[in-house]
Amino acid sequence: MNTESFDMKAVGPRIRMMMPLLTPLEAKVVDTVFAMRDFSDETSLKQIAEDAGVSEAMVVKITKKLGFSGFRDFRSAVSQYNRQPTAEMHKELSVDDTSLEIVQKVFRTSIHALEETLAILDMAAFDRAADLIHKAATRDFYGVGGSAQIARDVAHKFLRIGVRASVFDDSHLMLMSASLLTDGDIAIGFSHSGNTTAVIEAIQLARRNGARTIAITNYYSSALAQSADVVLCSTAQGSPLMGENAAARIAQLNILDAIFVAVAQRDYQAAERNLERTMSAVTSKRKDRHP
């Protein structure tokens, strides 16, 4: 990993995005490193190996698997990342927290996720996604559970400017939708883990039929990301109580809000005209109900 060419805030997120490629034991070693509050440029390879209960050779192997040239490169990058202001934002919730501490920690976790997602966001992928959505004849969104709610939020925003999209949250309906897509259409898969089977299968089918595909996920190395033409990654650091999903959802919604603006910008006059029409229709309906 060439840490000289990108924002140091991206070191932690890039490591987390590669976690699905690690075995449980390898992931435990990485977790051990990030749990060390005193981790620095002075932390020894021997100490990490002992704390994680593995050999020194395994620690070196893991650092290379994560894209670093070796342990020293890994240690330097993580040390610099830990000194970033955003790295200090993330603090675990405790049963003894006051209401003020709870609010501050939850907000800071979200800010942390936004800062780091911005640091890793692939702008070329962002622009390509906006172009594909803008030009598509049919836009079908796939998601399950909380990811389906994100898809619905995005579809609602797009409808306001006359960009129609359909949301599917049932595995059978996803496959039916994907089977009908073809060249000129687009399918977007939403999955925090990137391992939701129903979404992956639908995206793969849509791609085989010639449609372009976009993945919205937290892990660039996930099965969903590997199945899509374009990948937009969020990142969020998990906690025992909140998990990753809450903060990641906020990061994903912000990515998609930016995509919405970029799509509208590609034909601003049409977006403005359609927004006026849709908002006028809603306003008129409200007046009818409350004269």
Side-chain angles (χ1 to χ4, degrees):
M1 183 183 293
N2 182 8
T3 56
E4 296 179 359
S5 61
F6 64 88
D7 192 333
M8 291 309 298
K9 290 195 292 290
V11 171
R14 288 182 186 276
I15 290 174
R16 289 198 298 273
M17 283 193 295
M18 297 186 72
M19 292 291 272
L21 298 177
L22 304 182
T23 66
L25 181 58
E26 290 171 339
K28 178 189 173 185
V29 174
V30 177
D31 288 338
T32 298
V33 170
F34 279 98
M36 296 173 69
R37 294 296 181 186
D38 58 348
F39 186 88
S40 70
D41 289 320
E42 305 301 319
T43 303
S44 68
L45 175 60
K46 181 180 179 181
Q47 180 184 347
I48 293 173
E50 290 179 350
D51 287 358
V54 300
S55 67
E56 294 180 20
M58 173 169 267
V59 176
V60 174
K61 174 188 172 185
I62 293 168
T63 63
K64 291 182 177 179
K65 193 170 181 179
L66 291 172
F68 297 91
S69 61
F71 173 70
R72 289 185 179 180
D73 185 29
F74 171 82
R75 180 177 62 185
S76 174
V78 173
S79 295
Q80 290 183 64
Y81 167 72
N82 286 341
R83 291 195 293 270
Q84 297 294 310
T86 52
E88 292 298 316
M89 287 183 186
H90 184 84
K91 295 188 178 175
E92 298 290 355
L93 289 162
S94 165
V95 292
D96 298 320
D97 285 342
T98 65
S99 294
L100 177 60
E101 288 171 330
I102 291 171
V103 170
Q104 288 177 335
K105 287 182 179 181
V106 170
F107 272 64
R108 285 171 182 163
T109 297
S110 296
I111 294 169
H112 182 251
L114 289 172
E115 289 276 4
E116 293 197 338
T117 296
L118 181 60
I120 65 165
L121 189 60
D122 184 337
M123 294 312 303
F126 177 91
D127 284 333
R128 190 177 178 203
D131 284 335
L132 290 173
I133 294 171
H134 171 65
K135 296 175 182 177
T138 300
R139 307 167 188 86
D140 285 354
F141 296 171
Y142 308 138
V144 175
S147 292
Q149 297 304 320
I150 295 174
R152 289 191 182 92
D153 180 84
V154 180
H156 169 257
K157 285 188 174 72
F158 279 133
L159 183 60
R160 293 173 61 202
I161 60 170
V163 176
R164 294 178 179 271
S166 300
V167 179
F168 300 91
D169 62 0
D170 175 87
S171 59
H172 291 170
L173 292 177
M174 288 182 203
L175 290 175
M176 291 170 65
S177 155
S179 70
L180 297 174
L181 297 181
T182 185
D183 184 44
D185 297 330
I186 189 166
I188 303 182
F190 297 76
S191 172
H192 171 75
S193 68
N195 293 322
T196 308
T197 301
V199 175
I200 294 168
E201 290 178 347
I203 287 294
Q204 290 174 339
L205 178 57
R207 194 176 186 184
R208 286 198 300 271
N209 286 339
R212 292 292 177 264
T213 54
I214 298 174
I216 309 294
T217 182
N218 207 57
Y219 296 100
Y220 194 83
S221 57
S222 65
L224 176 61
Q226 299 303 310
S227 301
D229 296 305
V230 180
V231 182
L232 294 175
C233 267
S234 59
T235 184
Q237 191 169 343
S239 71
L241 182 60
M242 292 181 65
E244 293 177 340
N245 293 36
R249 181 171 64 246
I250 292 172
Q252 288 178 1
L253 286 168
N254 273 265
I255 291 173
L256 292 158
D257 279 350
I259 286 285
F260 164 76
V261 174
V263 171
Q265 189 183 57
R266 278 154 173 74
D267 191 347
Y268 188 76
Q269 290 185 337
E272 192 173 41
R273 183 171 59 252
N274 289 328
L275 180 61
E276 184 178 346
R277 292 172 64 187
T278 55
M279 292 301 96
S280 176
V282 172
T283 302
S284 297
K285 186 65 175 178
R286 286 173 180 165
K287 287 181 178 179
D288 289 342
R289 288 178 177 177
H290 305 284

